[in-house]
Amino acid sequence: MRYLTFALGKGRLAKKTMELFRQIGITCEEMQDPATRKLIFVNEELKLKFFLAKAPDVPTYVEYGAADVGIVGKDTILEEGRRMYEVLDLGYGRCRMCVCGPESARELLKHQELIRVATKYPHIAKDYFYNRKHQTVEIIKLNGSIELAPIVGLSEVIVDIVETGSTLKENGLKVLEEVCPLSARMVVNQVSMKMENERIGKIIGELKAVLQEEGQICGSSV
Ligand code: PRP
């Protein structure tokens, strides 16, 4: 039996994922050691491998088949636009992609004005403004602390993730429009889905059962 390889987005998402996997009997003791500098972890018994990657790289590993399965946020899936199957909404990591800014920017969004939009997600922002709102905007790519942009006058609005809303609140900004809801998703390489259909299908089925029991909403869009 060949190894089935999982790419997990580093951080909270990976921790949540391993908690969920534990409930269907998939464990990886090696990963528990907080001091480890190892990059890849193996469960010999189940013939599974796990590795941690920067979230935006997870779809890349999955598209190229270096990982059979990936766990990553919907934001990254939309932004990266890789060819792969999105098979399951895992329900955690729930947040929203929003257009945010000071209250005064609300009017600019209504009147289709040429505004500057700062974001870590230029593809999502472009798709939203060009294809859904039919508004021409200038998109400025930033790498973090996006909320700074309207405060210091770099842009009129931002497109960013809102979870609790406290970053916005503490910086005098508001959600002006909602782009889409987000959560953690399972993605699968297109060839692996065919070649390892039985093993991957079983994992998806078991995860669905656990999520349904917990009342998490899950869906499939293979
Ligand atoms: C994210 C996001 C917002 C914040 C939203 O930033 O970009 O800044 O979390 O969370 P909240 O609504 O609960 O306040 P992250 O912490 O990932 O850091 P970043 O600035 O590098 O994007």
Side-chain angles (χ1 to χ4, degrees):
M1 190 161 58
R2 73 181 268 272
Y3 284 97
L4 210 56
T5 303
F6 291 76
L8 312 179
K10 263 187 204 170
R12 265 184 306 172
L13 210 63
K15 198 160 173 271
K16 274 283 218 181
T17 301
M18 292 316 287
E19 282 168 18
L20 176 66
F21 279 12
R22 184 174 285 278
Q23 294 184 63
I24 62 162
I26 293 181
T27 54
C28 190
E29 293 314 316
E30 279 191 313
M31 265 176 112
Q32 307 296 329
D33 177 5
T36 187
R37 301 292 294 167
K38 274 185 84 162
L39 294 172
I40 188 145
F41 307 93
V42 184
N43 180 326
E44 285 295 349
E45 199 188 328
L46 299 174
K47 285 277 176 278
L48 301 175
K49 283 185 184 171
F50 300 88
F51 66 82
L52 301 172
K54 283 252 182 199
D57 296 337
V58 169
T60 313
Y61 285 109
V62 174
E63 182 182 296
Y64 284 90
D68 300 290
V69 178
I71 308 291
V72 72
K74 179 71 177 174
D75 50 320
T76 307
I77 296 172
L78 291 172
E79 185 60 24
E80 296 302 312
R82 294 281 179 181
R83 269 170 308 179
M84 55 192 184
Y85 295 131
E86 182 187 319
V87 295
L88 195 56
D89 183 343
L90 299 169
Y92 47 83
R94 260 185 215 294
C95 49
R96 300 179 293 157
M97 185 67 72
C98 298
V99 180
C100 312
E103 185 56 43
S104 57
R106 201 182 288 277
E107 284 299 302
L108 304 174
L109 292 168
K110 269 192 207 145
H111 300 121
Q112 303 272 311
E113 298 208 22
L114 177 60
I115 53 171
R116 285 174 301 181
V117 180
T119 185
K120 205 153 77 170
Y121 302 91
H123 290 113
I124 295 176
K126 193 171 172 200
D127 180 64
Y128 179 71
F129 279 102
Y130 284 68
N131 299 332
R132 277 169 61 187
K133 286 202 72 184
H134 305 291
Q135 181 171 4
T136 306
V137 296
E138 182 180 345
I139 291 167
I140 304 171
K141 165 85 164 64
L142 288 179
N143 296 297
S145 302
I146 315 298
E147 291 83 356
L148 260 179
I151 300 172
V152 299
L154 177 66
S155 70
E156 281 74 28
V157 297
I158 60 173
V159 167
D160 200 19
I161 290 172
V162 179
E163 193 179 350
T164 61
S166 43
T167 311
L168 290 179
K169 203 169 168 208
E170 286 185 30
N171 291 288
L173 305 173
K174 284 186 172 169
V175 170
L176 302 174
E177 289 174 359
E178 183 169 325
V179 178
C180 61
L182 304 168
S183 57
R185 308 292 162 100
M186 176 178 278
V187 291
V188 178
N189 171 269
Q190 294 185 343
V191 176
S192 304
M193 198 66 211
K194 290 187 184 70
M195 304 301 287
E196 295 289 343
N197 191 270
E198 208 174 304
R199 287 171 85 193
I200 295 174
K202 183 167 176 280
I203 292 170
I204 294 171
E206 290 175 354
L207 287 174
K208 267 188 186 170
V210 169
L211 294 170
Q212 264 155 11
E213 220 169 84
E214 288 179 350
Q216 303 270 30
I217 303 157
C218 56
S220 165
S221 55
V222 176

